[in-house]
């Protein structure tokens, strides 16, 4: 257990081995005039599944291996197979060993620089070599890590370097959801001088913030890897969201001995700050120049937001002087059709779908996300609970992280906190989810104390919570474990955490995982101390499928394609600020959801009871149970133009219900506020399938891996009504500089490949993601199926633009 407190640093010092390239290497562009150069290392990797003796050696022949760019999740290619050892937890997807190799050439001008490689995530049990020298091993696939390559490289024309990565998740089952496999996040090469800011070494916090003035604290740790002492100072500039220079300051010079580091810290006043908020997600930028002899030798930058937040035991959560509920959703790190290698546009599409339902916060269940996901939350104004672990020393699967926790938890936590601590979206760290160590009180308290020490050492500005597992059973509220947390988090059992607060009113409380039920919502709505909740789950996800042929869990507010389930529409009526109204048909009571951590959810939805259509299978006269979800004061329901009555909003958040004699035609809801129509919805009876309607999410499509357009194909009748029973096989074709990146339909029993140009419709719809392969040109996408009129849409490829700030 003592190894938990040790953050062991790895160093490589073995001789350089000769390289014999069999394919042209990548030329790394590292201009010597720049202070610091960061280059994408995503392109031109060679990949093969399986284990290969001596594949780490430069002379190894990888002829015949697949050439690709990362991020790359090789497991999502499938096939789904009941015999795959990943089992239902891993969505019955394949697991095993994979190798990646990359050849590259560095200019002679870089020979006197420090060179580092950064991996944002490799799943899992990765080993990395440069020119045959082993750099290190990282078992946890969700953390970012970096190695120094200096001393193991060749420079100049004709001198090829070989970077090799082996990842191994062959031992299964190892996860409760589909984690992906391979180098599934970005890779970067960084060049610095001998005197430089250490990796993730700049930390920006805002210890005092008002509308009139903010105090910004900039801390940077500078490392001297030269052979002599260096007198060092920092020049710090802060740039406002509009690009203007907001502040400039220089530190006093400090001698740093050879081989040592020094941490500079500076308080900087910023008058009239432009504060980051969920409705105003603006970002500042800190630029830190390292000066030696008055000359800049390195430059580090960090985006940050100026905001003040806190949790109050009596009133919950506050941001910039405003008290409101955290309306959160849990999300895994995978995205259906893309697996774990998710383009940023796909994440943006999902977050936009959740935002429309009223979600304002994300819990990264149950592991650190990618850096670009957090940056997206910064720009879109989402709050984030950044979670570290799904287990400590007691596992939930035979081969999960519990095997490595003692040796790696401290380092993994430290690296994650240092990487993520500048994101203004993050308001909480979570030390773990439903940790099964808690019944063993001494061990649990010891581990939690160690983790809290790491969180607070590297980021004293944020509170730490964890998702307590049956705390009344393990006596967490009585033995002091819960009170070690800055904010007490509990999964489900809302009455228990409210009772714990009543027992000790100084406790700050939060629902870290909650069901979709009305009772759970009322517990939050009606109790000011209850700061917020994170629903299980924001979107359907691969894994926790429970039984073949199901491959995904159906507990989401939205499905895998981001289409809202009926429970998501009801949630929208409770959480969204914009006026809304939606109609659903109910054919049976909803099965009870989980009320206890660890209680299995029914991934299968074997009996769908809510339908968002007016096309029941029985078209003969009968009575339909109709529910209307709305946040408007009054709703009127009309069938074929005839009013069925008006109902006011129930005080207990119940849906408005009507018993409607079925008749084909149009069922329409009018939501009104003081007599003014503020929202409408209508359902129409569908006829037979006639054509395909293809709709693009955005017409201009930027080039680059992060960018995809989301195309929805609807099978509609002659009048344009979606046919909910349609399951036609649709084929997508592309003309112009684009390609189909993935397809899906949200059907959690479908074993069709995501990496294809065709997909069966499910409930009358499916989707295709399109990627531009050039900066200019028209991309024409057509969806076709036998017996249906085809649908087409034209997209315009354009150059990639810098990420915008804001929703």
């Amino acid at each position: 257990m003592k190894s938990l407190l040790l953050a062991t640093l790895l160093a490589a010092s073995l001789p350089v081995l000769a390289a014999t390239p069999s394919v042209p290497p990548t030329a790394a562009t590292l201009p010597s005039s720049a202070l610091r150069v960061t280059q994408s290392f995503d392109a031109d990797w060679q990949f093969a599944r399986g284990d290969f003796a001596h594949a780490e050696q430069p002379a190894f022949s990888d002829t015949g291996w697949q050439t690709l760019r990362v991020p790359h999740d090789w497991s999502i290619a499938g096939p789904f197979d009941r015999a795959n050892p990943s089992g239902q937890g891993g969505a019955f997807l394949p697991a095993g060993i994979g190798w990646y190799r990359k050849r590259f050439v560095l200019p002679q001008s870089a020979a006197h620089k420090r060179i580092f490689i950064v991996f944002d995530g490799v799943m899992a049990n990765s080993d990395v070599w440069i020119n045959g020298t082993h750099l290190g091993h990282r078992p946890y696939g969700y953390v970012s890590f970096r190695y120094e390559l200096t001393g193991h490289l060749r420079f100049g024309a004709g001198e090829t370097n070989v970077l090799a990565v082996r990842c191994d998740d062959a031992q299964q089952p190892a996860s409760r959801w589909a984690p992906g496999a391979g180098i599934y996040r970005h890779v970067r090469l960084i060049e610095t001088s001998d005197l430089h800011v250490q990796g993730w070494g700049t930390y920006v916090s805002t210890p005092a913030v008002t509308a009139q003035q903010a105090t910004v604290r900039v801390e940077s740790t500078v490392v001297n890897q030269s052979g002599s002492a260096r007198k060092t100072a920092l020049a710090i500039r802060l740039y406002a969201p509009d690009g203007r220079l907001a502040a400039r300051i220089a530190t006093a010079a400090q001698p740093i001995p050879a081989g040592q580091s020094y941490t500079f810290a500076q308080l900087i006043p910023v008058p009239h700050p432009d504060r980051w908020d969920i409705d105003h997600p603006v970002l500042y930028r800190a630029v830190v120049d390292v000066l030696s002899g008055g000359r800049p030798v390195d430059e580090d930058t960090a985006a940050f937001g100026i905001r003040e937040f806190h949790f109050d035991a009596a009133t919950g959560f506050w941001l910039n002087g405003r008290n409101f509920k955290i309306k959160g959703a849990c999300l895994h790190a995978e995205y259906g059709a893309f697996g774990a290698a998710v383009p940023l546009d796909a994440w943006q599409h999902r977050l936009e779908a959740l935002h429309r339902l009223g979600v304002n916060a994300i819990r990264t269940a149950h592991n650190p996300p990618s850096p670009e996901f957090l940056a997206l939350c910064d720009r879109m104004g989402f709050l984030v609970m950044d979670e570290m672990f799904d287990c400590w020393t007691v596992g939930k699967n035979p081969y999960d992280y519990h095997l490595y926790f003692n040796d790696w938890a401290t380092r993994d936590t430290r690296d994650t906190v240092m990487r993520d601590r500048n994101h203004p979206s993050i308001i909480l760290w979570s030390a773990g989810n439903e940790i099964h160590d808690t019944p063993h009180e001494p061990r649990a308290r010891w581990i939690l104390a160690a983790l809290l020490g790491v969180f607070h050492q590297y980021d004293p500005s944020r509170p730490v919570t964890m998702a307590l597992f049956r705390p009344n059973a393990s006596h967490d509220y009585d033995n002091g474990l819960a009170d070690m947390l800055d904010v007490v988090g509990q999964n489900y059992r809302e009455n228990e955490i409210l009772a714990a607060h009543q027992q000790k009113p100084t406790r700050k409380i939060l629902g870290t995982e909650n069901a979709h039920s009305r009772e759970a919502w009322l517990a939050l709505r009606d109790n000011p101390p209850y700061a917020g909740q994170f629903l299980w789950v924001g979107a359907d996800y691969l894994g926790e499928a429970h039984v073949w042929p199901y491959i995904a869990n159906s507990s989401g507010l939205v499905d895998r394609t981001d289409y809202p389930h009926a429970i998501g529409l009801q949630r929208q009526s409770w959480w969204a600020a914009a006026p809304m109204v939606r109609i659903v048909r109910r054919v049976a009571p909803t099965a009870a959801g989980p009320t206890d951590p660890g209680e299995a959810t029914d991934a299968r939805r074997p009996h769908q009871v809510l339908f968002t259509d007016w096309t029941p299978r029985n078209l003969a006269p009968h009575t339909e149970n109709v529910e209307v979800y709305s946040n408007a004061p009054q709703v009127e329901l009309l069938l074929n133009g005839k009013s069925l009555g008006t109902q006011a909003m129930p005080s207990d958040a119940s849906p408005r219900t009507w018993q409607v004699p079925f008749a084909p035609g149009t069922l329409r809801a009018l939501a009104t506020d003081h007599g003014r129509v503020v929202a409408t919805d209508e359902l129409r009876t569908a006829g037979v399938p006639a054509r395909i309607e293809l709709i693009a999410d955005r017409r201009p499509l930027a080039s680059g891996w992060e960018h995809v357009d989301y195309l929805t194909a609807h099978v509609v009748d002659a009048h344009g009504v979606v046919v909910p029973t349609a399951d036609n096989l649709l084929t997508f074709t592309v003309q112009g500089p684009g390609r189909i990146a993935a397809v899906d339909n949200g059907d959690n029993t479908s074993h069709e490949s995501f990496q294809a140009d065709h997909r069966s419709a499910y409930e009358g719809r499916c989707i295709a993601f399109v990627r531009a392969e050039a900066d200019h040109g028209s991309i024409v996408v057509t969806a076709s199926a036998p017996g249906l009129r085809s649908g087409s849409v034209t997209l315009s490829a354009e150059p990639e633009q810098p990420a915008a700030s804001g929703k």
Side-chain angles (χ1 to χ4, degrees):
M1 292 292 287
K2 291 183 179 179
S3 58
L4 178 65
L5 300 175
L6 301 177
T8 306
L9 299 177
L10 300 178
S13 58
L14 298 179
V16 177
L17 301 179
T20 308
S22 59
V23 296
T26 299
T29 306
L30 298 173
S32 58
S33 59
L35 298 180
R36 172 183 291 229
V37 179
T38 300
Q39 177 185 357
S40 170
F41 240 43
D42 289 347
D44 301 323
W45 288 83
Q46 305 298 117
F47 168 74
R49 283 182 58 179
D51 208 2
F52 303 89
H54 312 299
E56 78 280 4
Q57 296 299 323
F60 178 85
S61 175
D62 52 26
T63 302
W65 285 24
Q66 179 185 359
T67 301
L68 52 78
R69 67 175 295 126
V70 300
H72 172 240
D73 174 6
W74 61 259
S75 71
I76 198 62
F80 295 103
D81 191 329
R82 190 175 188 174
N84 279 334
S86 61
Q88 60 84 22
F92 301 102
L93 284 167
I97 297 172
W99 276 89
Y100 296 81
R101 288 166 52 88
K102 180 179 173 69
R103 293 178 173 83
F104 61 98
V105 173
L106 294 172
Q108 188 62 44
S109 59
H112 301 292
K113 300 291 185 178
R114 293 282 166 175
I115 310 294
F116 301 87
I117 192 74
V118 180
F119 292 89
D120 284 341
V122 181
M123 189 64 67
N125 296 298
S126 67
D127 287 276
V128 180
W129 293 263
I130 181 66
N131 294 329
T133 296
H134 187 245
L135 298 175
H137 173 78
R138 295 300 286 257
Y140 199 27
Y142 294 107
V143 294
S144 299
F145 56 91
R146 53 187 277 143
Y147 297 119
E148 184 167 2
L149 308 184
T150 312
H152 309 296
L153 295 168
R154 295 190 174 90
F155 300 91
E159 295 293 332
T160 300
N161 300 280
V162 179
L163 187 65
V165 179
R166 181 184 185 271
C167 44
D168 180 1
D169 67 350
Q171 290 187 304
Q172 294 289 334
S175 178
R176 298 190 299 122
W177 57 87
I183 305 177
Y184 72 104
R185 293 179 182 168
H186 293 291
V187 184
R188 293 178 300 285
L189 194 73
I190 298 176
E191 172 198 316
T192 72
S193 66
D194 287 338
L195 187 69
H196 59 270
V197 177
Q198 77 170 30
W200 307 308
T202 294
Y203 170 38
V204 185
S205 59
T206 54
V209 178
T210 67
Q212 290 71 41
Q213 179 162 304
T215 299
V216 176
R217 184 179 187 274
V218 179
E219 174 186 302
S220 286
T221 299
V222 177
V223 180
N224 180 10
Q225 291 187 277
S226 72
S228 60
R230 303 283 290 274
K231 195 171 184 179
T232 306
L234 300 184
I236 304 170
R237 289 163 286 153
L238 303 183
Y239 290 94
D242 61 5
R244 65 179 174 83
L245 183 64
R248 180 198 301 265
I249 201 165
T251 70
Q254 172 69 34
I256 304 179
Q260 296 188 30
S261 65
Y262 181 81
T263 298
F264 294 84
Q266 191 72 44
L267 296 176
I268 306 173
V270 177
H272 307 292
D274 197 358
R275 291 179 292 179
W276 185 95
D277 210 311
I278 59 173
D279 298 318
H280 186 65
V282 293
L283 297 173
Y284 282 74
R285 183 167 57 97
V287 179
V288 178
D289 287 327
V290 179
L291 309 178
S292 180
R295 182 175 61 88
V297 295
D298 187 33
E299 180 182 277
D300 195 20
T301 64
F304 69 98
I306 295 178
R307 82 282 187 266
E308 185 279 330
F309 75 89
H310 66 276
F311 289 83
D312 181 81
T315 56
F317 179 74
W318 293 75
L319 176 64
N320 296 329
R322 186 161 59 99
N323 181 217
F324 60 89
K325 296 293 188 183
I326 296 171
K327 300 173 180 177
C330 304
L331 284 181
H332 280 309
E334 59 83 30
Y335 186 106
F338 291 106
V342 186
L344 201 58
D345 279 356
W347 278 133
Q348 181 171 334
H349 190 274
R350 175 153 293 173
L351 292 181
E352 288 171 347
L354 293 174
H355 182 260
R356 285 192 293 271
L357 302 183
V359 173
N360 64 16
I362 300 297
R363 175 193 181 202
T364 65
H366 301 291
N367 43 259
S370 67
E372 62 269 16
F373 178 85
L374 292 172
L376 181 64
C377 290
D378 292 342
R379 296 194 300 272
M380 294 184 69
F382 280 87
L383 307 173
V384 174
M385 180 199 299
D386 197 343
E387 191 156 65
M388 275 306 304
F389 306 115
D390 190 44
C391 64
W392 292 350
T393 67
V394 179
K396 300 175 183 177
N397 277 290
Y399 300 104
D400 62 20
Y401 187 73
H402 81 279
L403 298 175
Y404 315 106
F405 184 88
N406 284 342
D407 294 326
W408 287 96
T410 291
R411 183 172 184 180
D412 288 341
T413 303
R414 180 203 66 185
D415 288 354
T416 298
V417 173
M418 290 182 68
R419 186 199 73 172
D420 294 350
R421 59 191 174 177
N422 292 326
H423 290 283
S425 56
I426 299 175
I427 58 167
L428 281 162
W429 303 108
S430 171
N433 170 63
E434 296 181 1
I435 298 301
H436 290 190
D437 296 68
T438 55
H440 312 284
E441 180 193 344
R443 176 170 62 194
R445 288 172 62 91
W446 192 93
I447 293 174
L448 181 57
L451 291 176
L452 289 170
V454 178
F455 281 117
H456 291 150
Q457 176 183 352
Y458 293 99
D459 178 25
S461 75
R462 289 179 180 85
V464 181
T465 188
M466 65 182 287
L468 292 177
F469 177 68
R470 299 172 182 161
N472 279 8
S474 52
H475 306 289
D476 298 339
Y477 291 128
D478 304 318
N479 63 24
L481 186 137
D483 293 319
M484 295 173 66
L485 299 167
D486 303 313
V487 176
V488 178
Q490 178 175 333
N491 287 6
Y492 307 100
R493 296 185 178 190
E494 292 78 16
N495 289 337
E496 282 188 11
I497 194 170
L498 289 171
H501 178 269
Q502 188 175 17
Q503 176 192 40
K504 188 174 183 180
T506 56
R507 286 172 172 151
K508 303 169 185 178
I509 61 170
L510 176 73
T512 40
E513 186 172 311
N514 301 86
H516 298 288
S517 69
R518 183 172 60 92
E519 291 75 17
W521 161 231
L522 293 178
L524 174 61
R525 188 194 72 175
D526 298 340
N527 289 280
Y530 210 174
Q533 293 178 345
F534 289 87
L535 301 176
W536 192 262
V537 60
D540 290 359
Y541 56 95
L542 295 172
E544 277 195 301
H546 298 295
V547 60
W548 181 267
Y550 298 89
I551 49 94
N553 189 288
S554 303
S555 301
L557 292 169
V558 300
D559 69 12
R560 292 200 315 265
T561 70
D562 300 335
Y563 189 79
H565 289 304
I567 58 170
L569 301 177
Q570 185 174 43
R571 183 62 52 169
Q572 184 180 16
S573 73
W574 297 334
W575 280 10
M580 60 79 62
V581 62
R582 293 298 296 268
I583 310 168
V584 301
R585 295 187 297 115
R586 177 179 289 279
V587 300
T590 300
T595 59
D596 183 65
E599 182 178 318
T601 58
D602 189 345
R604 299 166 286 171
R605 290 193 193 275
H607 303 293
Q608 184 175 352
V609 300
L610 295 170
F611 296 84
T612 55
D613 64 67
W614 195 237
T615 311
R617 293 187 181 274
N618 176 17
L619 296 178
H622 66 282
T623 299
E624 285 285 343
N625 300 308
V626 173
E627 295 184 355
V628 177
Y629 308 137
S630 179
N631 53 12
Q634 302 283 333
V635 172
E636 182 182 14
L637 191 66
L638 304 96
L639 178 60
N640 295 328
K642 180 181 178 180
S643 178
L644 302 178
T646 299
Q647 295 188 29
M649 179 189 296
S651 60
D652 65 355
S654 296
R656 284 164 262 210
T657 62
W658 281 262
Q659 298 296 300
V660 180
F662 175 76
T666 301
L667 187 66
R668 192 162 190 250
L670 300 177
T672 60
D673 188 352
H674 293 90
R676 182 174 62 91
V677 176
V678 293
T680 64
D681 187 33
E682 68 176 34
L683 304 179
R684 292 188 290 165
T685 307
V688 298
R691 63 182 177 88
I692 300 169
E693 179 185 62
L694 192 60
I695 303 170
D697 191 47
R698 56 172 68 92
R699 295 302 174 94
L701 175 58
S703 59
W705 187 89
E706 297 286 9
H707 301 292
V708 290
D709 200 0
Y710 181 105
L711 273 59
T712 304
H714 290 122
V715 178
V716 300
D717 67 7
H719 302 288
V721 179
V722 176
V723 182
T725 56
D727 58 1
N728 308 68
L729 181 63
L730 277 58
T731 300
F732 297 91
T733 57
V734 180
Q735 292 179 311
R739 67 178 180 86
I740 302 297
V743 292
D744 200 356
N745 61 8
D747 180 2
N748 289 333
T749 65
S750 173
H751 301 157
E752 297 170 280
S753 174
F754 297 120
Q755 299 178 353
D757 62 0
H758 56 274
R759 190 75 175 192
S760 298
Y762 177 64
E763 297 182 348
R765 59 186 296 275
C766 67
I767 64 168
F769 291 93
V770 178
R771 179 173 279 130
E773 296 193 311
D775 290 343
H776 302 281
S778 294
I779 303 170
V780 180
V781 184
T782 301
S784 61
L788 300 179
R789 195 166 76 227
S790 300
S792 295
V793 67
T794 300
L795 312 174
S796 177
E798 64 179 19
E800 185 173 17
Q801 301 295 324
S805 143
K807 279 194 176 77

